[in-house]
Amino acid sequence: MAVQWLQNYWTKEGAGIPKDAPKRTGLALFAEILGREWWEMVKLNILFLLTSLLVVTIPAAIFAMASVSRAFVEDRNVYLLRDYLDALRAYWLKASVWAIVTSAVIGLCAYAARTYASYAATDLAYAAPLTVSLFVTLFVAMVACQFIVISVIERCSVLSTIRLSALAILLKPLPLVGALLFVGALWLAHILLYPVSVFMPAALNFSLGMFAIVFGAHGAAIHVLALSKDRTGS
């Protein structure tokens, strides 16, 4: 009986919305989804932490969390445990490639920014390359986030996904910038409110942060995928 209850608890559908309800957009939609799915996000956060214990599984766990978050954004039925584990297996290879490439590129960009910052402290001529390196670092980080979202929406090659991710950032950067600021504020709140906020990362920070990123990047991802399909005629 206990095993059956536990299985039903993790696999039941998430809450839906009335079909005749007026459609909301922007922050109102974000708040509506959060209010409807917050408990599913808590369980998703726990799943992410559990499947990240081996460390090498973290990239796939990030993609699996994004896949479930996409379902929240699109108001699709979610069978949390099944959908999460399916995504964990489906995105294992691509997530691993993403992690290796992203870590290497952001590491190089951060090293360049740090180097120029040390030079700029004594010579203002290095302020320009420092600014450029900071913008490049931010752009790469945003492309990495957009890469995740496009990957869980459409199956494309790694190179195609990178190209579409960069295009999405160039066309519609502000929603994702807002999402990243929200994620930063979420972790800042955890630091400032510690030890009261000690359970925030275990309960919600990872899943809520990923939901915010998917919510912010979703529109641009759909837009560039539609442009790509129009161009290829498929």
Side-chain angles (χ1 to χ4, degrees), residues 25-226:
T25 58
L27 292 177
L29 179 59
F30 182 88
E32 179 185 84
I33 298 174
L34 178 58
R36 186 174 70 244
E37 304 287 1
W38 71 271
W39 184 238
E40 294 298 299
M41 291 184 190
V42 171
K43 293 190 288 183
L44 177 61
N45 201 85
I46 295 171
L47 273 177
F48 171 75
L49 293 174
L50 290 175
T51 53
S52 298
L53 290 176
L54 296 177
V55 180
V56 295
T57 57
I58 291 177
I62 290 173
F63 275 62
M65 188 165 51
S67 181
V68 175
S69 296
R70 175 206 171 190
F72 292 155
V73 172
E74 296 178 352
D75 187 34
R76 294 191 286 106
N77 290 336
V78 176
Y79 301 90
L80 187 59
L81 183 60
R82 185 196 69 186
D83 293 349
Y84 183 87
L85 294 179
D86 286 348
L88 196 69
R89 290 188 290 267
Y91 298 112
W92 179 273
L93 179 59
K94 195 169 188 178
S96 299
V97 173
W98 167 86
I100 294 170
V101 174
T102 299
S103 299
V105 175
I106 291 183
L108 287 173
C109 291
Y111 177 78
R114 180 180 177 182
T115 301
Y116 286 128
S118 63
Y119 291 158
T122 56
D123 188 347
L124 290 179
Y126 289 97
L130 170 61
T131 302
V132 171
S133 63
L134 289 174
F135 272 105
V136 170
T137 303
L138 176 61
F139 180 77
V140 171
M142 292 177 66
V143 168
C145 293
Q146 192 73 60
F147 183 98
I148 299 172
V149 179
I150 291 178
S151 295
V152 300
I153 294 177
E154 188 80 18
R155 292 190 178 275
C156 306
S157 67
V158 171
L159 291 179
S160 294
T161 308
I162 293 174
R163 177 179 59 82
L164 292 171
S165 300
L167 179 60
I169 297 304
L170 293 174
L171 293 178
K172 295 184 176 183
L174 294 182
L176 184 53
V177 170
L180 292 175
L181 290 175
F182 175 83
V183 173
L186 193 63
W187 285 97
L188 181 62
H190 166 61
I191 295 171
L192 295 178
L193 298 176
Y194 190 85
V196 177
S197 61
V198 65
F199 293 111
M200 281 181 64
L204 203 61
N205 273 29
F206 294 103
S207 60
L208 180 55
M210 179 54 70
F211 167 68
I213 289 173
V214 174
F215 185 89
H218 186 268
I222 296 297
H223 181 66
V224 297
L225 285 169

Side-chain angles (χ1 to χ4, degrees), residues 26 86 230 232:
D86 286 348
D230 289 342
T232 58

